[in-house]
Amino acid sequence: MSQPSELAIFLTNDLTGISRGRAFPETDLKDRMRAGCGWVPANLALTPFGVIGANPFGPLGDLRLQPDADAEGFFLTGLNDGPDLKAFMCDIVETDGTPWGGCGRFFAKKALADLAREFGLTIKGSFEHEFFLLGDNDIGDAAFTLQDFRSQQPFLGALIAALKRAGVDPEMILREYGPKQFEVTMKPSVGLAVADRAVILREVTRDIARQFNQRACFAPIIDPASVGSGVHVHFSLETIDGKAVTHDAHGPGGISTMAGSFIAGVLKHMPALCALTAPSVISYLRLTPHRWSAGFNCFGYRNREAGIRICPVDDTPGRDVSKQVHLEFRASDATASPYMVLGALVRAGLEGLRAQMKTPPLIEGDPADLTAAELQKLNVRRLPESLPAALAELDADSVVSGWLPAPLRQGYHALKTAEMARTAALDPQAQCALYADYY
Ligand code: GLU
Ligand code: MG
């Protein structure tokens, strides 16, 4: 039985995808919901490794972590008489309550608001997570086995219960392909909750694993020679009143004209988006062809090498597929902020919708097998092969860099510069080991 908490905590999930925050007596919660709690601009330049990169904010300025007025928060469940903790995902606001330009959650909120205002649309979706279960355990080498599942069932069961209690609708949990790798998926939600729930799922998973003396590691890769862990963003478009608009039986791949434009916008800007969705040095050890991650900015039907894949549906004759048809953005991992991922996806999709871009051609087979001429004809490119290359794509794509308010740009630049400096002298294996300690 868990114990009630004496504390509550306000959290931000920052540009490194790491949750940080401040706690206070639970008895003050009502007041804190209005007043928020203090925060510091320079924190935006924090690397995953705990060091603040050189940044323009310095010692100056004050901000607040502010939950939404109607937020209910979520529970981190204490096992074995451990305390629960009530937590709230927050926006970062100025001391007068106006949004701060360095807030990733506000970046996503604003993109969703524009999608709703301009096209009457929102995103329905969920982030699918893979992770490595590290620690003293007897997980074997073989994929998908019942034995490994059974050996970890107490943890996996407690995790599902804790996710339900945290308000996340878990869907599936499995022993994945990679060594010590598992996957956990959620049922879809709508709008900002899609990103909030991604943060909650990661934190609950880490929290429950820790209470089993294990570490749930969401690093994109822990061994350069082996399989990576992706964060695949499942999404579809629906109208504000909940009508599914992604499917059209007559469209290519069963995709509607509107969804096709959205996809075209995302693929066009995907090389630059990678800087935000796969933003760490080791993201690029994962983001290579033949890993079922994503090596190219292409569109595929049930194709796990494609940057955007049309996911399978239950198309047994008589079943309605219109509500099931959805897409999956695969070039993302847990070193990214889910808010930046969702916001960037929506912004890029909006570009496609505004320009009424045509649905991109569907790639059959492995894009890595196409010749340079074929790739060019299909307008498909290899995604950046390193973090510096992705950052150069971001700088070169004035549309994508133009979405980022100055504090986001500055904070991001500061932390990535420090992150690259910290890892520069390490070989890939040592880089993986370093990131594994923090994710
Ligand atoms: N582990 C793969 C990745 O890094 C994904 C495998 C799958 O399709 O689930 O994205
Ligand atoms: Mg998987």
Side-chain angles (χ1 to χ4, degrees):
M1 269 301 285
S2 59
Q3 301 297 317
S5 174
E6 290 161 359
L7 300 170
I9 194 162
F10 283 175
L11 296 171
T12 177
N13 188 269
D14 71 9
L15 297 178
T16 65
I18 291 176
S19 298
R20 312 182 200 257
R22 295 184 181 189
F24 49 85
E26 212 269 341
T27 44
D28 289 351
L29 185 55
K30 201 158 161 257
D31 291 341
R32 287 280 173 202
M33 288 302 287
R34 202 185 47 245
C37 72
W39 201 243
V40 175
N43 289 355
L44 196 61
L46 267 164
T47 66
F49 323 120
V51 175
I52 298 186
N55 66 82
F57 313 113
L60 303 178
D62 280 292
L63 300 163
R64 286 195 283 131
L65 296 182
Q66 184 71 55
D68 298 332
D70 58 353
E72 289 175 5
F74 64 96
F75 274 107
L76 290 162
T77 296
L79 302 177
N80 305 321
D81 291 330
D84 289 337
L85 182 62
K86 187 81 183 273
F88 293 80
M89 295 317 303
C90 295
D91 286 347
I92 309 177
V93 298
E94 306 275 3
T95 51
D96 68 0
T98 53
W100 184 51
C103 175
R105 193 167 184 265
F106 185 72
F107 173 72
K109 265 187 186 173
K110 178 92 175 30
L112 287 163
D114 287 354
L115 181 64
R117 198 188 64 251
E118 292 178 42
F119 293 95
L121 296 175
T122 188
I123 296 287
K124 180 177 176 186
S126 83
F127 284 44
E128 169 193 325
H129 287 85
E130 295 172 327
F131 65 91
F132 299 99
L133 193 60
L134 306 180
D136 186 13
N137 60 45
D138 55 1
I139 303 169
D141 292 336
F144 311 118
T145 61
L146 175 63
Q147 280 310 305
D148 282 353
F149 191 87
R150 286 290 284 161
S151 85
Q152 299 307 315
Q153 192 173 332
F155 159 67
L156 299 169
L159 172 56
I160 292 299
L163 288 172
K164 282 186 184 162
R165 187 159 179 243
V168 165
D169 285 330
E171 184 182 57
M172 192 75 78
I173 192 153
L174 56 125
R175 167 75 173 86
E176 245 287 3
Y177 176 66
K180 295 184 187 270
Q181 194 180 37
F182 289 81
E183 173 174 309
V184 56
T185 64
M186 303 176 263
K187 292 173 190 145
S189 52
V190 173
L192 190 69
V194 177
D196 279 337
R197 286 185 178 194
V199 178
I200 296 168
L201 178 135
R202 290 176 203 177
E203 300 309 349
V204 170
T205 306
R206 290 188 178 109
D207 191 57
I208 297 296
R210 185 183 49 75
Q211 296 182 71
F212 278 85
N213 297 317
Q214 304 281 315
R215 261 184 31 77
C217 175
F218 286 85
I221 191 158
I222 56 171
D223 173 359
S226 189
V227 175
S229 279
V231 174
H232 303 158
V233 183
H234 291 258
F235 69 97
S236 63
L237 292 172
E238 65 174 39
T239 60
I240 296 301
D241 52 2
K243 189 168 163 278
V245 293
T246 303
H247 176 61
D248 176 349
H250 306 293
I255 295 299
S256 67
T257 308
M258 199 139 64
S261 296
F262 190 97
I263 293 162
V266 175
L267 293 183
K268 179 174 177 195
H269 295 290
M270 199 161 171
L273 288 189
C274 285
L276 304 172
T277 63
S280 67
V281 171
I282 61 166
S283 294
Y284 295 88
L285 299 174
R286 165 181 170 260
L287 221 53
T288 54
H290 310 304
R291 280 181 182 277
W292 294 18
S293 56
F296 295 83
N297 66 339
C298 63
F299 182 37
Y301 181 73
R302 304 189 185 179
N303 184 339
R304 289 182 178 76
E305 286 286 332
I308 293 186
R309 164 177 99 119
I310 305 175
C311 295
V313 291
D314 173 3
D315 48 7
T316 311
R319 293 278 160 82
D320 178 10
V321 299
S322 65
K323 286 201 169 65
Q324 299 179 51
V325 170
H326 74 276
L327 305 149
E328 182 190 42
F329 177 87
R330 295 176 70 86
S332 159
D333 65 56
T335 57
S337 151
Y339 300 112
M340 295 306 293
V341 173
L342 180 63
L345 207 57
V346 170
R347 282 265 165 252
L350 263 172
E351 298 291 336
L353 285 167
R354 286 177 191 142
Q356 300 184 341
M357 290 180 194
K358 277 224 215 23
T359 306
L362 280 160
I363 304 291
E364 290 186 13
D366 187 339
D369 294 338
L370 298 173
T371 63
E374 285 167 327
L375 289 172
Q376 197 179 19
K377 196 160 156 233
L378 293 162
N379 210 8
V380 168
R381 287 185 45 197
R382 176 78 172 86
L383 294 175
E385 296 185 42
S386 68
L387 180 56
L391 293 171
E393 294 281 359
L394 178 63
D395 281 346
D397 188 331
S398 57
V399 173
V400 177
S401 42
W403 302 332
L404 306 177
L408 263 188
R409 259 201 323 271
Q410 293 162 337
Y412 204 64
H413 182 261
L415 96 86
K416 289 298 147 193
T417 305
E419 187 174 330
M420 289 188 291
R422 171 71 182 84
T423 50
L426 305 178
D427 66 22
Q429 187 63 62
Q431 290 174 341
C432 288
L434 177 66
Y435 279 94
D437 280 346
Y438 292 90
Y439 286 94

